[in-house]
Amino acid sequence: MIVERPEQTYVAVRKAVTMTSIAEIADRLPELFGWLTARGVEPAGPPFFRYRVIDMDRKLDIEAGFPVADAPEVEGEIFEGVLPAGRYVTVTHIGHPDRLRDVHASVLDWAARHDLTWDMAETGEGEEWGCRLEIYRTDPREQPDMNAWETEVAFRLADRGR
């Protein structure tokens, strides 16, 4: 479905990875959560990956972050950003994260059939996305079975005038 999302402040870390090394950025989420907790900041929602640049054959430029109401002063590799407001195509996946690649493909296919345009540009580095998210709604401490995890996939659409 298509939903309107407001802008959202977040804190994150960023890394260029490959399909086989995504764990290098995923494994930073507990560290980032601990950093927020140490500063008395409660996340304003579940953790997410923001795909900035995608070239499936070479690299993925990914941010791993948490939404926050107000970001504390950042340091080191941790930075503050804003997820842009706008219209997003979203779908919720229940199941193992290994199956998310198929979910992404189905979202892309659905949008193509409906003549929708993404907030994305082809560059020499790959597809540069305005906002392409995987939002991890299941806390693995409460549900260790990855086959039961709930993940929302959300891709921002281009402004209507584009």
Side-chain angles (χ1 to χ4, degrees):
M1 72 177 134
I2 298 174
V3 300
E4 286 282 339
R5 295 177 67 99
E7 74 176 23
Q8 174 66 63
T9 302
Y10 68 96
V11 294
V13 292
R14 186 173 181 168
K15 185 166 180 66
V17 296
T18 65
M19 285 300 292
T20 59
S21 66
I22 284 181
E24 292 177 18
I25 190 72
D27 291 347
R28 301 289 307 273
L29 284 170
E31 171 192 341
L32 185 58
F33 182 78
W35 182 86
L36 286 168
T37 301
R39 284 152 184 78
V41 177
E42 183 71 27
F48 62 85
F49 286 166
R50 181 177 185 182
Y51 291 82
R52 292 299 225 159
V53 179
I54 298 175
D55 179 337
M56 297 298 272
D57 296 327
R58 292 187 298 167
K59 73 170 181 137
L60 307 167
D61 187 354
I62 301 176
E63 297 173 357
F66 283 92
V68 292
D70 292 304
E73 188 166 325
V74 295
E75 60 191 24
E77 293 180 79
I78 299 170
F79 65 91
E80 176 183 349
V82 176
L83 300 174
R87 296 174 32 227
Y88 286 74
V89 173
T90 68
V91 65
T92 299
H93 167 70
I94 306 293
H96 200 288
D98 284 351
R99 295 189 178 90
L100 285 169
R101 189 172 185 169
D102 294 336
V103 175
H104 283 253
S106 69
V107 170
L108 294 169
D109 290 344
W110 182 85
R113 289 193 312 274
H114 290 85
D115 295 321
L116 299 173
T117 303
W118 300 118
D119 178 11
M120 185 270 294
E122 295 283 351
T123 71
E125 296 293 313
E127 298 172 346
E128 187 174 317
W129 286 81
C131 198
R132 181 170 168 168
L133 302 169
E134 287 177 1
I135 303 164
Y136 297 95
R137 300 208 172 273
T138 302
D139 185 335
R141 296 171 299 181
E142 296 173 11
Q143 175 53 267
D145 180 1
M146 295 174 83
N147 293 306
W149 285 9
E150 179 179 326
T151 307
E152 178 185 355
V153 174
F155 297 5
R156 187 170 187 267
L157 293 167
D159 293 332
R160 293 178 199 260
R162 210 165 126 185

